[in-house]
């Protein structure tokens, strides 16, 4: 449970990237898209877990969550570069 709450706290820190990276005139739309993707994953992941665990075996669902966590960690390590505001012509 402690690890789960740590993950929730760590995931919420990503909101700082919206205000730090988005151009000032696009912060509202960037926040909306960011929130939409987060809520979409909140819909899709339980459905996929339910499908994977429908046979009574939770091992595939746990592997799925482990893969998602690994992909998330790799995205921070390899995709997030220098954190600075994106420059636009406006």
């Amino acid at each position: 449970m402690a690890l789960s709450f740590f993950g929730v706290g760590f995931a919420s820190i990503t909101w700082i990237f919206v205000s730090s990276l988005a151009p000032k005139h696009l912060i509202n739309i960037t926040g909306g898209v960011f929130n939409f993707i987060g809520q979409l994953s909140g819909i899709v992941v339980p459905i996929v877990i339910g499908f994977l665990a429908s046979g009574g075996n939770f091992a595939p669902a746990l592997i799925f969550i482990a893969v998602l966590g690994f992909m998330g960690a790799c995205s921070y390590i390899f995709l997030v570069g220098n954190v600075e505001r994106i420059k636009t012509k406006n």
Side-chain angles (χ1 to χ4, degrees):
M1 232 101 141
L3 186 61
S4 175
F5 281 119
F6 172 76
V8 168
F10 189 72
S12 66
I13 201 169
T14 57
W15 273 102
I16 199 163
F17 289 131
V18 172
S19 61
S20 297
L21 297 174
K24 288 184 180 180
H25 66 283
L26 294 175
I27 287 179
N28 53 356
I29 190 76
T30 305
V33 170
F34 191 80
N35 198 26
F36 171 74
I37 297 298
Q39 297 302 320
L40 189 63
S41 68
I43 295 169
V44 172
V45 169
I47 292 171
V48 171
I49 289 174
F51 176 75
L52 291 173
S54 63
N57 184 7
F58 282 93
L62 292 174
I63 291 170
F64 173 69
I65 293 299
V67 167
L68 287 180
F70 180 74
M71 287 172 45
C74 286
S75 70
Y76 272 108
I77 293 168
F78 298 115
L79 295 179
V80 177
N82 193 11
V83 178
E84 59 186 28
R85 188 170 306 280
I86 297 170
K87 307 286 189 234
T88 61
K89 293 179 183 179
N90 292 349

